[in-house]
């Protein structure tokens, strides 16, 4: 970034543990920013201290009033405003969404200095399929709401990523096993820090381990996708065909059931006609 930086909003990712992960661009923008919007001045103050900068900090969260946000937007018109969170990527289970939305709506310059995020780092360490994933953030802490949230994810054919804390981990793993089944999972802890670990196993194995042990530090849970559906039995297919025949003519019923069970339409059509012929449909 050799040309003078443009005024606007710079979304700056910061390390999730190891300060060596602060990128050169992030360091440069934090050094020249007129204002750094932070969650906690003590946390970002340490980072600024580490890079030897003294940029002005202002506490920001998405619960700020519209008037407060408007005055920040005004500043962006002529100043370099950086947005950081305590750790990782702003907006990812952290403040910033409303600010970015409003800055873009106001036609202001908005850019990102990408970097660490615990969700992606945990996925890469989990040993679970990484081609499709859903980031859920923190599950609700109340059991009923948590089981409902897990239920809504059950049918997704994707790895699931959750932020958690040590005291809730055992209950969360038990609920996940009850609702999602005994899938493969990983508890990834203290990424990029001294005690980094990725413990992998089935949800029941991890639930046994963390039911009693309350691990310290910061935690991400990654749960693998559901396994392939169990092959349907002949009885299941016949029951589906009988049900479909109550609603549809034989050809359509055979087509519907063949699609649902990935099986042979012609064989189902012949079966439906045999049932009709001998009066057992
Ligand atoms: N915006 C951040 C990011 O991009 O990673 C996440 C902020 S969220 C408020 C904080 C949660 O992220 C923690 O409670 C923990 O679940 C997870 N987390 C952050 N740093 C971590 C680390 N070093 N190791 C494991 N999990 C971490």
């Amino acid at each position: 970034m050799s040309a003078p930086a443009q005024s606007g909003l710079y979304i700056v990712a910061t390390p999730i543990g190891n300060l060596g992960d602060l990128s050169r661009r992030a360091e440069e923008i934090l050094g020249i920013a007129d204002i750094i919007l932070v969650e906690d001045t003590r946390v970002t103050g340490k980072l600024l201290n580490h890079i030897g900068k003294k940029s002005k900090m202002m506490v920001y969260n998405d619960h700020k009033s519209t008037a407060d946000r408007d005055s920040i937007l005004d500043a962006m018109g002529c100043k370099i405003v950086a947005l950081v969170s305590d750790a990782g990527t702003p907006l990812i289970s952290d403040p910033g969404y409303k600010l970015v939305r409003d800055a873009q709506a106001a036609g202001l310059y908005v850019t990102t200095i990408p970097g660490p995020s615990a969700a992606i780092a945990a996925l890469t360490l989990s040993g679970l399929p990484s081609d499709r994933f859903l980031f859920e953030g923190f599950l609700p802490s109340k059991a009923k709401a948590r089981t409902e949230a897990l239920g809504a994810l059950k049918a997704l054919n994707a790895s699931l990523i959750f932020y958690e804390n040590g005291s809730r981990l055992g209950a969360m793993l038990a609920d996940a096993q009850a609702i999602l089944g005994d899938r493969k999972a990983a508890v990834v802890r203290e990424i990029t820090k001294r005690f980094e670990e990725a413990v992998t196993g089935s949800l029941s194995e991890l639930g046994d381990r963390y039911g009693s042990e309350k691990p310290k530090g910061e935690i991400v849970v990654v749960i693998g996708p559901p396994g392939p559906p169990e092959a349907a039995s002949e009885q299941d297919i016949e029951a589906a065909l009988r049900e479909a025949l109550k609603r549809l003519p034989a050809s359509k019923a055979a087509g519907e059931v063949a699609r649902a069970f990935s099986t042979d339409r012609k064989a189902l059509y012949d079966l439906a006609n045999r049932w009709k012929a001998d009066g057992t449909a």
Side-chain angles (χ1 to χ4, degrees):
M1 217 179 302
S2 40
Q6 189 173 339
S7 61
L9 177 62
Y10 291 72
I11 305 158
V12 181
T14 59
I16 55 171
N18 188 326
L19 294 179
D21 293 334
L22 187 74
S23 73
R24 290 240 302 272
R25 288 181 71 216
E27 183 169 342
E28 188 173 350
I29 283 295
L30 294 180
I32 61 170
D34 298 299
I35 307 166
I36 306 178
L37 302 174
V38 304
E39 288 187 87
D40 184 327
T41 52
R42 287 163 305 181
V43 176
T44 303
K46 279 188 198 150
L47 183 67
L48 290 180
N49 206 26
H50 172 75
I51 59 174
K53 305 288 179 191
K54 288 194 157 70
S55 308
K56 180 179 163 194
M57 291 183 274
M58 183 193 293
V59 173
Y60 175 79
N61 61 59
D62 277 336
H63 305 299
K64 286 256 185 203
S65 69
T66 311
D68 283 345
R69 217 168 17 256
D70 283 349
S71 72
I72 296 171
L73 295 178
D74 281 348
M76 281 175 204
C78 55
K79 293 194 158 111
I80 295 169
V81 179
L83 170 71
V84 300
S85 50
D86 281 354
T89 299
L91 282 84
I92 306 302
S93 289
D94 269 335
Y97 152 67
K98 289 183 181 170
L99 194 65
V100 172
R101 177 197 65 188
D102 292 356
Q104 283 174 340
L108 292 158
Y109 176 72
V110 179
T111 190
T112 186
I113 315 288
S117 182
I120 298 298
L123 179 67
T124 63
L125 273 178
S126 69
L128 292 165
S130 54
D131 52 343
R132 300 186 78 217
F133 59 88
L134 179 125
F135 171 64
E136 179 70 6
F138 291 97
L139 282 166
S141 53
K142 297 234 165 69
K144 182 163 178 292
R146 185 167 60 222
T147 51
E148 280 171 11
L150 285 164
L153 302 173
K154 186 177 164 137
L156 274 184
N157 187 18
S159 292
L160 307 172
I161 306 173
F162 304 90
Y163 287 158
E164 250 319 331
N165 68 46
S167 60
R168 299 191 327 183
L169 181 63
M172 182 267 184
L173 293 169
D175 283 349
Q177 186 201 337
I179 289 153
L180 304 175
D182 202 9
R183 299 190 191 176
K184 288 185 182 158
V187 173
V188 189
R189 219 169 52 82
E190 294 289 89
I191 303 165
T192 74
K193 303 186 201 177
R194 184 162 167 219
F195 296 109
E196 174 182 291
E197 64 173 12
V199 179
T200 58
S202 63
L203 279 170
S204 57
E205 287 163 348
L206 295 172
D208 285 348
R209 171 166 176 171
Y210 293 110
S212 47
E213 175 192 329
K214 306 240 177 294
K216 291 202 172 73
E218 299 198 278
I219 296 165
V220 183
V221 176
V222 187
I223 299 178
E230 281 176 27
S233 69
E234 210 169 305
Q235 286 94 325
D236 292 335
I237 297 174
E238 289 193 8
L241 184 59
R242 283 189 191 284
E243 187 281 323
L245 283 170
K246 290 181 193 156
R247 296 180 281 112
L248 300 167
S251 62
K252 288 200 167 156
E256 180 183 286
V257 175
R259 272 194 303 283
F261 291 90
S262 304
T263 187
D264 181 36
R265 195 197 73 85
K266 172 79 169 56
L268 292 176
Y269 180 63
D270 291 347
L271 180 62
N273 282 328
R274 272 204 307 283
W275 286 344
K276 281 199 169 161
D278 62 21
T280 59

